[in-house]
C-alpha cells in the first residue's frame, strides 16, 4: 500500500512516498531554514506562504524520485497539528485537493505521532513495548509505545522544549538559527571538564520523569551578563559555554531516559525528534544504556539493558514527510484518522 505523506507544520516543506508504512521510496524535504535564519527564528506568515509555493513542486519531485505516479497512491497522510496554524492549513488544504483529484482517502496525522513513527522506518521490525524519548524544537516527552498508535506519556517538559533551549542558548551566544547543530559544533572544540571549569553550570534537577530547561537557559544568561573583562575577551568562551550547556542538557535527557527504562523495562528504546540528530546525545544514550561490560548497580550487580536502542538517521529525526506517511498508514490500518481539523496545540495520547 503506497502512502503519500505531507508535512508542513513548521519550516520544512516535505512530501514522501512510503510503501506499507515502512519502506521509504522518496522523502523530499525543502527547508526554509536559510530564509527564517535572517529573522533569527521562524516567521509564521512567511512559512505558510512558502509551503503554498513549494508543495506542488516538492510533490512532483517526490513522485519522480520514487518512480511512481499519482494514480498509484492509495492513501494521503498529512500533518494536522501541532504546529503553526497557517502552515498546517496550507498542508491540509493541499492534501484534501490532491486526495479529491485522485479519488483516494486522506488521513490527518499528529506531527508527534509522526516523530514516534520515525523509529518504525528502520530496517528492523520495532520491538514493543518501546520507550521513546521524543525531543524536538517544540516538544520533550517520554513516551511508552505499547503498539503502533497506543501511547502512554510518562513525562514531559515543565517549561521549554529541549530543542527550544538549544535555540535560545545559541541566540544568547550569538550563534545562528537553528541553534542545536551550531551549539554542537562549538561544543566539539573543547573538553567537557574544561568547559565546566571555565563556564560552570549546575546539573538540572526535576521530579520523576519530567524535564525542565528554562533554569539552565537562565543560568547561561546570568553567567554571560556577569563575565569579567578577562572572560569577555576569551576567544574560547562561546565554545566553553556551548559545551557546558550541551553537557548539562544531554545529561538531564539521558538520566531521565535511564530512569524511565528502569521503571518500565521496555523491550526497546528509541530517540526521535530533531534533537536526536545530536551526535553527543546519541553517544551519551548509547554509553548509558549499553556501557562496556554491561550496566551494574552500586553493589556491582548486573542491570538489564534494552534489547534495541534505535535512533533513526538524522534525516528522519528532523521534520520530514516519511514519518507522517508511516504514522498515517498505521492510523488508517487501525481505522482512525478521519479528522482533518487543524489543531495547533494537538497533544499525544
Ligand atoms: O523535530 P524538529 O526538526 O522540528 C520540530 O518539530 O521542532 O526539531 C528541530 C529542533 C531545533 O530546535 C534544533 O535546534 C534541534 O532540533 N536540533 C538539535 C540538533 N539538531 C537539531 N539540538 C541539539 N543538537 C543537535 N545536533
Ligand atoms: Zn518536529
Amino acid at each position: 500500500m503506497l502512502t503519500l505523506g505531507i508535512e508542513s507544520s513548521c519550516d520544512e516543506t516535505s512530501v514522501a512516498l512510503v510503501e506499507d508504512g515502512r519502506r521509504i521510496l522518496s522523502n523530499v524535504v525543502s527547508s526554509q531554514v536559510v530564509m527564517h535564519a535572517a529573522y533569527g527564528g521562524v516567521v509564521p506568515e512567511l512559512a505558510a506562504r512558502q509551503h503554498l509555493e513549494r508543495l506542488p513542486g516538492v510533490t512532483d519531485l517526490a513522485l519522480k524520485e520514487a518512480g511512481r505516479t499519482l494514480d498509484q497512491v492509495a492513501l494521503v497522510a498529512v500533518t494536522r497539528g501541532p504546529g503553526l496554524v497557517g502552515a498546517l492549513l496550507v498542508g491540509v488544504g493541499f492534501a484534501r485537493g490532491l486526495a479529491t483529484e485522485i479519488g483516494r482517502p486522506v488521513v490527518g496525522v499528529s506531527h508527534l505521532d509522526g516523530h514516534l513513527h520515525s523509529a518504525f522506518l528502520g530496517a528492523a521490525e520495532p520491538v514493543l513495548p518501546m520507550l521513546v524519548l521524543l525531543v524536538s524544537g517544540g516538544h520533550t516527552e517520554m513516551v511508552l509505545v505499547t503498539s503502533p498508535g497506543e501511547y502512554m506519556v510518562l513525562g514531559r517538559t515543565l517549561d521549554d522544549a529541549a530543542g527550544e533551549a538549544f535555540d535560545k542558548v545559541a541566540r544568547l551566544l550569538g550563534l545562528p538559527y537553528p541553534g542545536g547543530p551550531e551549539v554542537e559544533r562549538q561544543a566539539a572544540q573543547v573538553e567537557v571538564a574544561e568547559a565546566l571549569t571555565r563556564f560552570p553550570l549546575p546539573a538540572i534537577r526535576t521530579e520523576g520523569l519530567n524535564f525542565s530547561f528554562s533554569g539552565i537557559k537562565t543560568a547561561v544568561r546570568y553567567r554571560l551578563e556577569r563575565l569579567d573583562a578577562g572572560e569577555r575577551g576569551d576567544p574560547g568562551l562561546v565554545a566553553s559555554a556551548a559545551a557546558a550547556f550541551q553537557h548539562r542538557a544531554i545529561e538531564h535527557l539521558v538520566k531521565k531516559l535511564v530512569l524511565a527504562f528502569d521503571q518500565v523495562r521496555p523491550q526497546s528504546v528509541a530517540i526521535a525528534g530533531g534533537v536526536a540528530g545530536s551526535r553527543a546525545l546519541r553517544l551519551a544514550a548509547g554509553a548509558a544504556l549499553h556501557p562496556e561490560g554491561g550496566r551494574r548497580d552500586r553493589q556491582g550487580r548486573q542491570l538489564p539493558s534494552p534489547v534495541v536502542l534505535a535512533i533513526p538517521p538524522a534525516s528522519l529525526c528532523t521534520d520530514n514527510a516519511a514519518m507522517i506517511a508511516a504514522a498515517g498508514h498505521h492510523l488508517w490500518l487501525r481505522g482512525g484518522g478521519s479528522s482533518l481539523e487543524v489543531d495547533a496545540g494537538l497533544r499525544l495520547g
Side-chain angles (χ1 to χ4, degrees):
M1 176 173 168
L2 185 64
T3 303
L4 183 145
I6 299 171
E7 156 63 31
S8 74
S9 66
C10 191
D11 58 351
E12 330 279 357
T13 313
S14 180
V15 178
L17 284 138
V18 175
E19 192 81 72
D20 298 327
R22 305 210 12 111
R23 204 162 65 85
I24 301 174
L25 304 185
S26 66
N27 189 18
V28 179
V29 181
S30 171
S31 177
Q32 306 176 9
V33 158
V34 176
M35 189 186 74
H36 295 289
Y39 301 90
V42 179
V43 184
E45 306 80 62
L46 273 184
R49 203 178 323 142
Q50 285 294 315
H51 288 310
L52 196 60
E53 276 175 25
R54 295 182 188 196
L55 272 172
V58 171
T59 303
D60 288 346
L61 194 57
L63 285 164
K64 197 166 152 220
E65 278 189 10
R68 299 297 165 96
T69 51
L70 260 186
D71 55 313
Q72 290 175 303
V73 171
L75 175 71
V76 177
V78 62
T79 306
R80 71 175 185 95
L84 305 167
V85 175
L88 291 165
L89 280 169
V90 169
V92 169
F94 183 78
R96 271 208 160 111
L98 203 64
T100 308
E101 185 186 326
I102 58 177
R104 298 288 184 207
V106 53
V107 286
V109 175
S110 153
H111 180 80
L112 299 178
D113 196 8
H115 274 304
L116 291 179
H117 275 81
S118 63
F120 290 64
L121 283 162
E125 193 72 36
V127 198
L128 300 175
M130 178 191 264
L131 178 70
V132 187
L133 172 64
L134 174 53
V135 268
S136 73
H139 296 268
T140 302
E141 327 218 0
M142 191 73 75
V143 185
L144 185 67
V145 182
T146 47
S147 69
E150 298 267 335
Y151 314 124
M152 235 162 74
V153 178
L154 307 174
R156 50 165 55 105
T157 184
L158 303 170
D159 39 62
D160 291 351
E164 185 183 2
F166 270 89
D167 294 338
K168 286 179 176 171
V169 166
R171 198 187 295 199
L172 289 173
L173 296 175
L175 301 171
Y177 170 87
E182 293 292 331
V183 168
E184 182 162 34
R185 217 166 286 137
Q186 288 287 333
Q189 298 175 24
V190 273
E191 293 295 330
V192 170
E194 190 198 331
L196 283 170
T197 310
R198 288 165 94 177
F199 203 96
L201 289 175
I204 304 171
R205 291 189 203 292
T206 53
E207 290 289 319
L209 295 175
N210 287 328
F211 303 90
S212 168
F213 291 96
S214 78
I216 191 90
K217 172 201 68 190
T218 308
V220 171
R221 185 158 57 77
Y222 278 177
R223 177 98 183 88
L224 288 172
E225 283 167 3
R226 285 161 181 68
L227 293 174
D228 62 34
E231 289 172 318
R232 244 176 253 280
D234 175 0
L237 180 81
V238 169
S240 298
F245 165 74
Q246 176 176 276
H247 175 74
R248 289 308 190 200
I250 287 177
E251 171 188 70
H252 183 49
L253 290 170
V254 171
K255 205 168 97 190
K256 297 298 179 182
L257 184 60
V258 173
L259 188 64
F261 174 78
D262 286 336
Q263 278 183 15
V264 298
R265 295 276 169 86
Q267 286 296 306
S268 64
V269 171
I271 310 181
V275 184
S278 162
R279 226 180 93 75
L281 173 58
R282 290 161 180 260
L283 288 174
L289 288 166
H290 286 289
E292 244 177 87
R295 294 174 64 218
R296 299 197 174 268
D297 68 9
R298 274 181 208 169
Q299 283 76 43
R301 286 175 300 214
Q302 193 85 35
L303 289 169
S305 278
V307 179
V308 183
L309 171 62
I311 312 178
S315 60
L316 294 178
C317 289
T318 46
D319 291 350
N320 69 90
M323 68 184 198
I324 302 301
H329 170 89
H330 287 109
L331 192 60
W332 180 251
L333 290 187
R334 294 196 309 277
S338 54
S339 174
L340 281 175
E341 197 187 325
V342 163
D343 184 350
L346 191 63
R347 278 161 78 102
L348 261 186

